[in-house]
Amino acid sequence: MADGLSPEERDAIAAELALGVLDGAARAAALRRLMADPDFSPDMIDAWERRLAPLYDDYVAVTPPETLWPGIETAVAGGLPAHPALRQLRWWRACALASAAVAASLALIVLLRPGAPVAIQQPAQVAMAQMVGEPDGPMILARYDPTSGGLVLRPTGVASGRLAPELWIIPADGKPRSLGLIGGGAESRIAVAPSYRRFMAEGATLAVTMESMAGAPHDAPSSAPIAAGKISLF
């Protein structure tokens, strides 16, 4: 959202990410909304994780009874008594399936009908990465647009001084390539060089090390990363 999220929306999304209840497209959409919000900081997710940590200590693993799955399979196979409500549910389900079949047939007729070809718009993929280090150390959220080559970074806990944070892309060959120095503030934007864009792929690693500002971008990192994370495409 261009005008940012409300405090309630921002807090709710951070809580959902901390709980891990979002995955796939839902997680990607949540990260996009947070990255576009000027008032969001990754430590909001950390705060929720700290609040939820005591609950994990009270968790007790329970082994399900051996009859659980056979009972579910029997219910799915229609082995339950034919209660009137179940018969009505099956009737509505049959109607829904029939309607879906009709709709699919109509769609097929429209697609196969002679005429001007219809362009199907495929959603553009976005690359995301969450770079973390020590439990109480820096965290950096990254969003990469493969179409424009633009990389947006939202760091927290990154302190610049004599040394500055430098971002690296580490593809499958294991060789780090510098993407340049980044800021330690609320947001950094980098235009990835065309020759490096092919490395911004699923499973590649983004990492940040603290380097001297002189001579940047460097040929190789001089220290261990303070934060790192793998790229995922959505």
Side-chain angles (χ1 to χ4, degrees), residues 6-224:
S6 69
E8 294 77 14
E9 289 175 317
R10 191 180 306 114
D11 196 51
I13 295 174
E16 289 174 333
L17 290 170
L19 283 168
V21 297
L22 301 176
D23 57 10
R27 182 173 180 272
L31 285 170
R32 286 192 192 100
R33 294 188 71 191
L34 288 180
M35 291 283 287
D37 179 43
D39 294 323
F40 169 71
S41 172
D43 59 9
M44 295 177 184
I45 299 176
D46 289 344
W48 268 107
E49 289 176 345
R50 288 191 294 270
R51 284 181 227 167
L52 295 168
L55 298 178
Y56 303 148
D57 297 334
D58 296 333
Y59 172 77
V60 178
V62 177
T63 303
E66 295 181 357
T67 57
L68 178 62
W69 280 114
I72 293 174
E73 290 171 351
T74 300
V76 171
L80 293 176
H83 190 278
L86 288 176
R87 286 197 296 269
Q88 188 178 27
L89 176 61
R90 289 175 187 144
W91 184 83
W92 281 107
R93 186 179 300 160
C95 290
L97 289 173
S99 299
V102 171
S105 300
L106 290 173
L108 186 60
I109 291 171
V110 171
L111 288 174
L112 297 180
R113 184 178 60 190
V118 178
I120 299 175
Q121 296 292 331
Q122 295 292 338
Q125 282 192 311
V126 174
M128 298 280 191
Q130 179 175 300
M131 291 172 273
V132 295
E134 296 296 327
D136 295 328
M139 182 171 78
I140 305 161
L141 293 178
R143 181 184 65 189
Y144 174 67
D145 182 357
T147 303
S148 66
L151 180 62
V152 180
L153 301 151
R154 301 291 297 272
T156 184
V158 179
S160 297
R162 185 177 60 86
L163 300 177
E166 188 165 355
L167 181 66
W168 305 84
I169 177 66
I170 308 173
D173 63 7
K175 178 183 176 181
R177 279 93 167 169
S178 176
L179 298 178
L181 298 179
I182 65 173
E187 183 174 289
S188 290
R189 293 178 179 268
I190 290 178
V192 178
S195 59
Y196 283 178
R197 292 179 187 179
R198 60 191 174 94
F199 299 132
M200 303 290 291
E202 178 88 28
T205 298
L206 283 173
V208 172
T209 61
M210 300 303 294
E211 306 290 343
S212 169
M213 287 182 277
H218 299 92
D219 293 332
S222 64
S223 60

